[in-house]
Amino acid sequence: MNRVARRVRDKGLLRLIGRYLRAGVVVKGRLTRTARGVSQGGPLSPLLSNILLDDFDKELERRKHRFARYADDGIILVKSQRAGVRVMAGITRYLQKLKVKVNTDKSKVVRVQESSFLGFTFKGKKPVATIKAVMTFKHRLKRLAGRSWGISMQDRYRRVHGYVTGWMNYFGIGMRYTDAVEPDHWLRRRTRMCYLKQWGRARKRIGELIRLGAPKHQAILTGLSRKGYWHLAKTYATNCGLSKEYLQNQGLVSLRTLWIGIHYPA
Protein backbone atom coordinates (compact mmCIF):
# COMPACT_ATOMS: atom_id res chain seq x y z
CA MET A 1 0.00 0.00 0.00
CA ASN A 2 2.95 2.32 0.64
CA ARG A 3 4.12 1.76 -2.93
CA VAL A 4 0.64 2.36 -4.34
CA ALA A 5 0.42 5.60 -2.34
CA ARG A 6 3.59 6.87 -4.06
CA ARG A 7 1.60 7.29 -7.30
CA VAL A 8 -2.05 7.39 -6.15
CA ARG A 9 -3.11 10.48 -4.20
CA ASP A 10 -6.82 9.73 -4.01
CA LYS A 11 -7.48 8.70 -0.39
CA GLY A 12 -10.88 7.25 -1.27
CA LEU A 13 -9.30 4.90 -3.81
CA LEU A 14 -6.56 3.89 -1.35
CA ARG A 15 -9.22 3.12 1.27
CA LEU A 16 -11.13 1.01 -1.25
CA ILE A 17 -8.03 -1.03 -2.16
CA GLY A 18 -7.25 -1.53 1.54
CA ARG A 19 -10.76 -2.78 2.23
CA TYR A 20 -10.52 -5.14 -0.73
CA LEU A 21 -7.29 -6.61 0.63
CA ARG A 22 -8.81 -7.11 4.10
CA ALA A 23 -12.18 -8.42 2.88
CA GLY A 24 -11.19 -12.05 3.49
CA VAL A 25 -11.56 -15.17 1.37
CA VAL A 26 -14.00 -18.09 1.48
CA VAL A 27 -12.29 -21.39 2.34
CA LYS A 28 -14.47 -24.52 2.47
CA GLY A 29 -17.59 -22.41 2.84
CA ARG A 30 -16.24 -20.25 5.66
CA LEU A 31 -15.02 -16.66 5.47
CA THR A 32 -11.36 -16.49 6.51
CA ARG A 33 -9.66 -13.26 7.49
CA THR A 34 -6.75 -12.09 5.28
CA ALA A 35 -4.00 -10.50 7.34
CA ARG A 36 -1.46 -10.43 4.52
CA GLY A 37 -1.14 -10.97 0.77
CA VAL A 38 -3.70 -10.76 -2.04
CA SER A 39 -6.40 -13.32 -2.79
CA GLN A 40 -5.28 -15.57 -5.63
CA GLY A 41 -7.18 -15.03 -8.88
CA GLY A 42 -8.48 -11.62 -7.83
CA PRO A 43 -8.46 -8.77 -10.38
CA LEU A 44 -6.12 -6.68 -8.22
CA SER A 45 -3.52 -9.43 -7.82
CA PRO A 46 -1.59 -8.98 -11.13
CA LEU A 47 -1.83 -5.18 -10.93
CA LEU A 48 -0.46 -4.98 -7.38
CA SER A 49 2.27 -7.53 -8.15
CA ASN A 50 3.45 -5.35 -11.03
CA ILE A 51 3.48 -2.28 -8.78
CA LEU A 52 5.45 -4.11 -6.10
CA LEU A 53 7.91 -5.73 -8.52
CA ASP A 54 8.48 -2.66 -10.68
CA ASP A 55 11.59 -1.89 -8.61
CA PHE A 56 12.72 -5.47 -9.22
CA ASP A 57 12.43 -4.98 -12.99
CA LYS A 58 14.37 -1.74 -12.78
CA GLU A 59 17.11 -3.47 -10.76
CA LEU A 60 17.45 -6.22 -13.37
CA GLU A 61 17.63 -3.60 -16.12
CA ARG A 62 20.28 -1.70 -14.17
CA ARG A 63 22.33 -4.89 -13.93
CA LYS A 64 21.77 -5.42 -17.70
CA HIS A 65 20.28 -8.90 -17.29
CA ARG A 66 18.14 -10.53 -19.95
CA PHE A 67 14.91 -11.55 -18.24
CA ALA A 68 11.16 -12.05 -18.56
CA ARG A 69 8.58 -11.69 -15.82
CA TYR A 70 4.86 -12.41 -15.68
CA ALA A 71 3.27 -11.43 -12.34
CA ASP A 72 5.36 -13.29 -9.74
CA ASP A 73 6.92 -15.78 -12.18
CA GLY A 74 10.23 -14.85 -13.81
CA ILE A 75 13.24 -16.18 -15.66
CA ILE A 76 16.72 -14.62 -15.89
CA LEU A 77 19.15 -15.68 -18.62
CA VAL A 78 22.92 -15.71 -18.03
CA LYS A 79 25.84 -17.28 -19.85
CA SER A 80 27.12 -19.86 -17.34
CA GLN A 81 26.18 -21.97 -14.34
CA ARG A 82 28.58 -20.00 -12.18
CA ALA A 83 26.99 -16.70 -13.18
CA GLY A 84 23.55 -18.18 -12.54
CA VAL A 85 24.42 -19.14 -8.97
CA ARG A 86 25.87 -15.69 -8.31
CA VAL A 87 22.90 -13.84 -9.82
CA MET A 88 20.35 -15.99 -7.99
CA ALA A 89 22.02 -15.27 -4.64
CA GLY A 90 22.13 -11.53 -5.34
CA ILE A 91 18.55 -11.36 -6.60
CA THR A 92 17.29 -13.35 -3.61
CA ARG A 93 18.87 -10.82 -1.25
CA TYR A 94 17.33 -7.95 -3.20
CA LEU A 95 13.84 -9.49 -3.12
CA GLN A 96 14.15 -9.94 0.65
CA LYS A 97 14.58 -6.15 0.88
CA LEU A 98 11.23 -5.82 -0.89
CA LYS A 99 9.83 -8.29 1.68
CA VAL A 100 9.04 -10.76 -1.08
CA LYS A 101 9.36 -14.45 -0.19
CA VAL A 102 11.31 -16.50 -2.75
CA ASN A 103 9.99 -20.00 -3.42
CA THR A 104 13.17 -22.04 -2.94
CA ASP A 105 11.51 -25.23 -4.24
CA LYS A 106 10.73 -23.73 -7.66
CA SER A 107 13.71 -21.36 -7.94
CA LYS A 108 16.79 -23.03 -9.39
CA VAL A 109 19.75 -22.57 -11.70
CA VAL A 110 19.46 -24.88 -14.74
CA ARG A 111 20.13 -24.98 -18.45
CA VAL A 112 17.49 -23.35 -20.63
CA GLN A 113 16.37 -26.76 -21.95
CA GLU A 114 15.66 -27.88 -18.38
CA SER A 115 13.87 -24.71 -17.30
CA SER A 116 10.13 -24.14 -17.00
CA PHE A 117 8.44 -20.76 -17.47
CA LEU A 118 4.65 -20.30 -17.64
CA GLY A 119 4.18 -23.93 -18.68
CA PHE A 120 6.85 -23.81 -21.40
CA THR A 121 10.36 -25.14 -21.72
CA PHE A 122 12.72 -24.58 -24.63
CA LYS A 123 14.34 -26.76 -27.29
CA GLY A 124 16.90 -24.68 -29.10
CA LYS A 125 15.09 -21.42 -29.85
CA LYS A 126 11.60 -22.93 -29.86
CA PRO A 127 9.23 -22.94 -26.85
CA VAL A 128 7.49 -26.25 -26.17
CA ALA A 129 4.90 -27.22 -23.59
CA THR A 130 6.35 -28.92 -20.50
CA ILE A 131 5.65 -32.60 -19.83
CA LYS A 132 3.59 -31.58 -16.80
CA ALA A 133 1.39 -29.27 -18.91
CA VAL A 134 0.81 -31.99 -21.53
CA MET A 135 -0.03 -34.61 -18.88
CA THR A 136 -2.48 -32.22 -17.21
CA PHE A 137 -4.10 -31.58 -20.61
CA LYS A 138 -4.50 -35.30 -21.35
CA HIS A 139 -5.86 -36.05 -17.87
CA ARG A 140 -8.48 -33.29 -18.10
CA LEU A 141 -9.42 -34.25 -21.64
CA LYS A 142 -9.81 -37.89 -20.61
CA ARG A 143 -12.23 -36.83 -17.89
CA LEU A 144 -14.23 -34.60 -20.24
CA ALA A 145 -14.44 -37.41 -22.83
CA GLY A 146 -15.19 -40.15 -20.29
CA ARG A 147 -17.89 -42.62 -21.33
CA SER A 148 -19.40 -42.88 -17.83
CA TRP A 149 -20.22 -39.19 -17.60
CA GLY A 150 -24.00 -38.93 -17.86
CA ILE A 151 -24.36 -35.82 -20.05
CA SER A 152 -25.62 -35.29 -23.59
CA MET A 153 -23.18 -35.44 -26.48
CA GLN A 154 -23.86 -31.79 -27.39
CA ASP A 155 -23.01 -30.70 -23.86
CA ARG A 156 -19.87 -32.84 -24.01
CA TYR A 157 -18.88 -31.26 -27.33
CA ARG A 158 -19.34 -27.79 -25.86
CA ARG A 159 -17.18 -28.50 -22.79
CA VAL A 160 -14.44 -30.21 -24.82
CA HIS A 161 -14.44 -27.39 -27.38
CA GLY A 162 -14.01 -24.70 -24.71
CA TYR A 163 -11.17 -26.49 -22.94
CA VAL A 164 -9.26 -27.64 -26.05
CA THR A 165 -9.56 -24.25 -27.78
CA GLY A 166 -8.27 -22.41 -24.73
CA TRP A 167 -5.37 -24.83 -24.27
CA MET A 168 -4.37 -24.69 -27.95
CA ASN A 169 -4.56 -20.89 -28.04
CA TYR A 170 -1.99 -20.83 -25.24
CA PHE A 171 0.25 -23.84 -25.90
CA GLY A 172 -0.34 -24.36 -29.63
CA ILE A 173 2.56 -22.12 -30.62
CA GLY A 174 4.93 -24.58 -28.94
CA MET A 175 3.49 -27.78 -30.46
CA ARG A 176 4.75 -29.78 -33.42
CA TYR A 177 2.28 -31.00 -36.04
CA THR A 178 2.60 -34.62 -34.91
CA ASP A 179 1.94 -33.58 -31.30
CA ALA A 180 -1.44 -32.19 -32.39
CA VAL A 181 -2.42 -35.08 -34.69
CA GLU A 182 -1.92 -37.85 -32.13
CA PRO A 183 -4.36 -36.50 -29.49
CA ASP A 184 -6.75 -35.63 -32.33
CA HIS A 185 -7.03 -39.34 -33.26
CA TRP A 186 -7.33 -40.26 -29.59
CA LEU A 187 -10.15 -37.74 -28.99
CA ARG A 188 -12.19 -39.03 -31.94
CA ARG A 189 -11.83 -42.59 -30.69
CA ARG A 190 -12.92 -41.57 -27.19
CA THR A 191 -15.95 -39.79 -28.67
CA ARG A 192 -16.95 -42.86 -30.69
CA MET A 193 -16.64 -44.91 -27.52
CA CYS A 194 -19.09 -42.54 -25.79
CA TYR A 195 -21.64 -43.04 -28.57
CA LEU A 196 -21.35 -46.83 -28.29
CA LYS A 197 -21.83 -46.61 -24.55
CA GLN A 198 -24.94 -44.41 -24.89
CA TRP A 199 -26.49 -46.68 -27.52
CA GLY A 200 -26.33 -49.55 -25.03
CA ARG A 201 -27.96 -52.74 -26.35
CA ALA A 202 -26.87 -54.57 -29.50
CA ARG A 203 -30.11 -53.86 -31.43
CA LYS A 204 -29.81 -50.11 -30.85
CA ARG A 205 -26.11 -50.14 -31.69
CA ILE A 206 -26.64 -52.00 -34.98
CA GLY A 207 -29.56 -49.78 -36.00
CA GLU A 208 -27.67 -46.55 -35.34
CA LEU A 209 -24.56 -47.69 -37.22
CA ILE A 210 -26.62 -48.71 -40.26
CA ARG A 211 -28.55 -45.42 -40.14
CA LEU A 212 -25.26 -43.50 -40.15
CA GLY A 213 -24.04 -45.34 -43.25
CA ALA A 214 -22.04 -48.32 -41.95
CA PRO A 215 -22.23 -51.55 -44.04
CA LYS A 216 -24.96 -53.82 -42.64
CA HIS A 217 -22.75 -56.89 -42.17
CA GLN A 218 -20.00 -54.92 -40.42
CA ALA A 219 -22.57 -53.12 -38.23
CA ILE A 220 -23.98 -56.47 -37.10
CA LEU A 221 -20.50 -57.80 -36.24
CA THR A 222 -19.73 -54.70 -34.19
CA GLY A 223 -23.14 -54.65 -32.50
CA LEU A 224 -22.99 -58.29 -31.43
CA SER A 225 -19.35 -58.18 -30.33
CA ARG A 226 -18.60 -58.66 -26.63
CA LYS A 227 -15.33 -56.76 -26.81
CA GLY A 228 -14.85 -53.53 -24.87
CA TYR A 229 -15.99 -50.10 -26.01
CA TRP A 230 -12.42 -48.91 -26.59
CA HIS A 231 -11.77 -51.80 -29.00
CA LEU A 232 -15.11 -51.40 -30.78
CA ALA A 233 -14.48 -47.67 -31.25
CA LYS A 234 -11.85 -48.55 -33.86
CA THR A 235 -13.81 -51.10 -35.88
CA TYR A 236 -14.61 -50.52 -39.55
CA ALA A 237 -18.34 -50.10 -38.92
CA THR A 238 -17.81 -47.52 -36.17
CA ASN A 239 -15.38 -45.52 -38.30
CA CYS A 240 -17.77 -45.59 -41.26
CA GLY A 241 -20.83 -44.56 -39.25
CA LEU A 242 -19.15 -42.13 -36.88
CA SER A 243 -16.79 -40.73 -39.48
CA LYS A 244 -14.44 -37.82 -38.97
CA GLU A 245 -16.72 -35.57 -41.01
CA TYR A 246 -19.81 -36.61 -39.03
CA LEU A 247 -18.14 -35.89 -35.68
CA GLN A 248 -16.92 -32.48 -36.87
CA ASN A 249 -20.42 -31.62 -38.11
CA GLN A 250 -21.77 -32.55 -34.70
CA GLY A 251 -19.37 -30.12 -33.05
CA LEU A 252 -16.22 -32.08 -32.16
CA VAL A 253 -13.20 -29.78 -32.12
CA SER A 254 -10.11 -30.75 -34.13
CA LEU A 255 -6.66 -30.15 -32.63
CA ARG A 256 -5.14 -30.49 -36.10
CA THR A 257 -7.36 -27.71 -37.49
CA LEU A 258 -6.55 -25.46 -34.52
CA TRP A 259 -2.81 -26.13 -34.96
CA ILE A 260 -2.96 -25.19 -38.65
CA GLY A 261 -4.85 -22.01 -37.81
CA ILE A 262 -2.15 -21.01 -35.31
CA HIS A 263 0.92 -21.83 -37.41
CA TYR A 264 -0.50 -21.02 -40.85
CA PRO A 265 -3.18 -18.37 -40.24
CA ALA A 266 -3.23 -17.22 -43.87
Side-chain angles (χ1 to χ4, degrees):
M1 288 302 298
N2 288 334
R3 292 179 181 275
V4 175
R6 293 178 186 177
R7 297 294 183 91
V8 179
R9 302 300 180 185
D10 189 332
K11 291 185 178 180
L13 179 57
L14 292 173
R15 259 196 314 271
L16 183 62
I17 295 174
R19 290 166 107 183
Y20 180 91
L21 294 174
R22 293 188 294 271
V25 292
V26 178
V27 180
K28 295 182 179 179
R30 298 184 61 182
L31 184 64
T32 304
R33 180 172 172 268
T34 49
R36 60 186 298 178
V38 186
S39 57
Q40 188 175 10
L44 267 182
S45 181
L47 176 61
L48 293 178
S49 70
N50 283 334
I51 292 174
L52 177 62
L53 295 174
D54 184 58
D55 288 349
F56 174 62
D57 294 341
K58 296 292 192 298
E59 178 66 15
L60 292 177
E61 290 173 357
R62 187 185 67 80
R63 299 186 185 191
K64 298 183 179 179
H65 289 314
R66 293 184 177 184
F67 71 97
R69 182 181 66 81
Y70 184 86
D72 62 344
D73 199 357
I75 183 171
I76 304 173
L77 304 173
V78 294
K79 292 184 177 180
S80 66
Q81 178 87 9
R82 186 175 179 180
V85 173
R86 185 183 69 252
V87 169
M88 182 173 176
I91 292 301
T92 301
R93 288 193 298 269
Y94 181 80
L95 287 173
Q96 288 172 349
K97 293 179 182 178
L98 297 179
K99 298 184 179 180
V100 174
K101 185 178 180 181
V102 178
N103 189 329
T104 54
D105 294 330
K106 293 184 178 179
S107 301
K108 53 189 177 181
V109 179
V110 294
R111 293 182 178 275
V112 174
Q113 295 83 357
E114 301 167 8
S115 65
S116 173
F117 182 58
L118 303 177
F120 285 96
T121 187
F122 305 90
K123 288 186 177 180
K125 295 182 179 180
K126 294 196 66 176
V128 295
T130 60
I131 295 176
K132 181 180 178 181
V134 173
M135 293 303 295
T136 301
F137 171 70
K138 289 182 177 180
H139 178 75
R140 177 78 184 278
L141 196 57
K142 186 175 182 179
R143 188 172 67 83
L144 290 174
R147 69 172 187 262
S148 300
W149 200 12
I151 61 174
S152 68
M153 290 304 299
Q154 290 305 316
D155 195 21
R156 189 189 303 271
Y157 285 139
R158 180 179 60 80
R159 293 170 187 252
V160 170
H161 184 278
Y163 178 67
V164 171
T165 302
W167 198 89
M168 284 295 293
N169 284 341
Y170 185 81
F171 287 104
I173 193 173
M175 291 183 70
R176 297 175 300 176
Y177 177 76
T178 53
D179 294 334
V181 171
E182 183 182 349
D184 210 27
H185 292 320
W186 178 87
L187 181 58
R188 283 199 297 273
R189 188 172 177 182
R190 291 281 297 185
T191 305
R192 291 176 180 126
M193 183 179 68
C194 292
Y195 274 105
L196 293 171
K197 170 74 173 180
Q198 288 191 358
W199 290 340
R201 295 180 177 274
R203 184 185 294 274
K204 173 73 170 177
R205 200 182 304 169
I206 294 170
E208 289 292 339
L209 287 174
I210 293 174
R211 182 181 66 83
L212 291 172
K216 184 176 181 180
H217 178 68
Q218 294 294 332
I220 293 173
L221 291 178
T222 299
L224 296 178
S225 175
R226 293 188 177 183
K227 293 182 178 179
Y229 293 113
W230 181 248
H231 176 85
L232 295 178
K234 204 176 181 181
T235 60
Y236 181 73
T238 306
N239 278 266
C240 284
L242 299 170
S243 64
K244 178 180 177 181
E245 292 74 20
Y246 174 81
L247 295 178
Q248 287 181 348
N249 290 335
Q250 292 298 305
L252 183 65
V253 65
S254 170
L255 278 80
R256 176 181 175 274
T257 303
L258 293 174
W259 187 94
I260 292 173
I262 293 169
H263 290 266
Y264 301 98

